[in-house]
Amino acid sequence: MDDDTRWFFPRGDLARHDWQTVVDGEVDGWQHTGLRVGELAGTGARLPAVGVERMIVPLCGDVVVEWSDARGGSGTVELAGRSSVFEGPADVVYLGIDTEARLTGEGRVAVAEAPADQVLDVQVLRAADIPVEIRGSGRSTRQVHNFGTPAGLHAQKLIVCEVVTPAENWSSYPAHKHDESIPGVESRLEEIYYFESAVSRGLDAPEQADPFGLFATYSSPAGRIDVNHFVRTGDVALVPFGYHGPAVAAPGYDLYYLNVMAGPDPERAWLITDDPAHGWVRTQWESQAPDPRLPYLPAAAPKGPRR
């Protein structure tokens, strides 16, 4: 089995039951992170009460989350979504371990997961309160929603964020790694990339347009890996170790990815080491202006009730 087959999955290859995508311990060599992506319709989707902490992220449309936990708590959270992942952040909710949930609504939802053993409270983050970070500059400008990072969310293991890269720009660059435990320098984290791509804002494309981007992962001292792939909506790349990046948005097409990270280190931290051959590129950003196309935000406030 080559690395493209083992660590890269085109849309549909990870389908299970009613989910379009499922990443969990059933994937050979995968331990610390999980992901579910699916369309909500009819009776919706159920999440069992197991030893994983979760974050519910609406990708398209609104989501209602009915939950109950092992301590006897229960409630309903209505998440105002968005028309697409290129329309700014959505409301999100964190559910601690041993929490059962039912998801209903119309549209597509992602559920980020990480095995854990600490019982933490439900946390709701509204779109208006999620910082929209413009990272990099020039052709390395991208938009990051850091709703599930250590600075913005109290969790035991789970780290989640999403990145929007406009057409012709590079993100996850310079290539970097997080596969060694070096206190204060680098942390060990598995990482999931879930991709979506669309015709770039403001362009009138023909019906046969085929939005795509590019993604790469390559070897580090922690292990051999070699993934170089076109990426389209619904594709998933797994990064068990190694340098990863760039994620490149092709001309004419914007690129989105949801990142899910967790690892074995006791401290929940996202600490990275750049590929020493390319890390110097960061210094070039100081003399460049950020891409004026960003931020991508909705034309109007998201619709949907909130509690």
Side-chain angles (χ1 to χ4, degrees):
M1 180 181 295
D2 62 26
D3 290 336
D4 271 354
T5 304
R6 184 176 185 186
W7 302 120
F8 182 82
F9 299 89
R11 179 177 184 172
D13 281 12
L14 291 169
R16 192 188 307 169
H17 305 303
D18 294 330
W19 295 97
Q20 296 172 347
T21 296
V22 178
V23 178
D24 58 16
E26 292 190 20
V27 176
D28 184 35
W30 209 247
Q31 304 178 63
H32 303 290
T33 58
L35 176 69
R36 295 172 184 268
V37 178
E39 298 283 343
L40 296 178
T43 59
R46 293 189 178 273
L47 301 172
V50 293
V52 299
E53 51 186 358
R54 298 182 171 109
M55 176 161 275
I56 315 300
V57 182
L59 300 172
C60 175
D62 301 334
V63 178
V64 177
V65 182
E66 301 172 74
W67 62 272
S68 59
D69 63 24
R71 296 180 292 185
S74 63
T76 299
V77 179
E78 299 184 359
L79 302 178
R82 49 198 168 178
S83 59
S84 83
V85 294
F86 300 100
E87 296 292 322
D91 294 349
V92 299
V93 62
Y94 168 90
L95 304 178
I97 67 169
D98 299 327
T99 299
E100 180 182 8
R102 178 171 176 258
L103 312 182
T104 56
E106 296 292 335
R108 190 167 57 260
V109 66
V111 182
E113 301 179 337
D117 56 23
Q118 294 180 9
V119 178
L120 300 177
D121 292 335
V122 171
Q123 300 165 67
V124 181
L125 292 83
R126 297 300 182 185
D129 300 321
I130 294 172
V132 176
E133 175 192 358
I134 304 303
R135 184 178 298 171
S137 64
R139 286 302 182 193
S140 293
T141 308
R142 56 273 206 185
Q143 175 174 324
V144 186
H145 305 153
N146 287 314
F147 46 72
T149 61
L153 177 75
H154 179 47
Q156 182 187 356
K157 292 289 186 180
L158 188 63
I159 299 174
V160 191
C161 67
E162 55 187 9
V163 179
V164 174
T165 309
E168 302 182 37
N169 284 13
W170 292 43
S171 57
S172 281
Y173 188 76
H176 56 280
K177 70 183 185 74
H178 36 70
D179 56 21
E180 292 183 86
S181 182
I182 306 174
V185 176
E186 185 177 342
S187 49
R188 290 180 295 172
L189 297 167
E190 282 182 346
E191 185 164 15
I192 300 171
Y193 279 72
Y194 165 80
F195 296 97
E196 297 203 7
S197 187
V199 173
S200 190
R201 275 195 174 193
L203 297 186
D204 185 14
E207 185 176 342
Q208 66 267 31
D210 182 19
F212 75 98
L214 303 172
F215 179 73
T217 306
Y218 56 95
S219 301
S220 73
R224 180 195 171 281
I225 187 169
D226 183 14
V227 175
N228 291 277
H229 235 285
F230 283 76
V231 293
R232 296 177 172 86
T233 294
D235 293 348
V236 171
L238 302 183
V239 183
F241 46 74
Y243 291 105
H244 42 288
V248 182
Y253 305 120
D254 295 332
L255 183 67
Y256 161 95
Y257 51 87
L258 177 71
N259 283 148
V260 183
M261 293 175 277
D265 292 350
E267 181 185 8
R268 175 175 170 256
W270 182 67
L271 300 174
I272 67 172
T273 299
D274 285 338
D275 183 337
H278 307 303
W280 66 272
V281 171
R282 291 186 189 274
T283 64
Q284 304 303 299
W285 298 348
E286 299 171 4
S287 60
Q288 300 173 1
D291 190 323
R293 292 176 293 177
L294 296 179
Y296 278 3
L297 297 173
K303 296 180 180 179
R306 300 182 177 188
R307 292 182 185 174

